[in-house]
């Protein structure tokens, strides 16, 4: 499984098609989700980022939403 640096993760922001986000050290492919149109999640979050802090502090749902997306790697600290 690939290990992403934050810089590498930022390349998957939806501008070139693929959209990845990180949560608690895992990187998820959200490219096929209608909730991530053009690399943005409902005007609140951008793809290509670590969402750990914002998910824990701001999201109206829990991390179980990531169970629907494939894990494509881990995030390097």
């Amino acid at each position: 499984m690939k290990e992403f640096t934050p810089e590498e993760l930022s390349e998957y922001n939806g501008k070139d098609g693929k959209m990845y986000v990180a949560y608690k050290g895992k990187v998820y492919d959200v490219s096929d989700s209608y909730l991530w149109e053009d690399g943005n999640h409902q005007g609140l979050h951008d793809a290509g980022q670590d969402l750990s802090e914002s998910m824990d502090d701001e999201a109206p749902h829990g991390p179980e939403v990531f169970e629907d997306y494939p894990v494509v790697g881990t995030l390097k600290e």
Side-chain angles (χ1 to χ4, degrees):
M1 197 170 292
K2 180 167 173 50
E3 186 174 56
F4 293 85
T5 65
E7 293 79 23
E8 290 170 324
L9 178 64
S10 71
E11 295 173 15
Y12 294 90
N13 57 14
K15 306 295 186 254
D16 293 324
K18 285 288 184 188
M19 295 177 278
Y20 294 172
V21 296
Y23 178 73
K24 301 288 186 186
K26 292 183 181 177
V27 177
Y28 297 87
D29 183 346
V30 296
S31 302
D32 293 334
S33 174
Y34 70 94
L35 297 171
W36 283 92
E37 189 172 326
D38 297 323
N40 185 273
H41 177 59
Q42 301 182 340
L44 301 172
H45 307 287
D46 293 318
Q49 298 183 11
D50 182 358
L51 301 180
S52 298
E53 188 173 315
S54 60
M55 279 288 299
D56 291 342
D57 295 342
E58 304 165 12
H61 51 71
E64 69 278 353
V65 297
F66 291 116
E67 294 173 4
D68 295 332
Y69 303 106
V71 175
V72 294
T74 58
L75 184 62
K76 187 176 187 177
E77 293 292 324

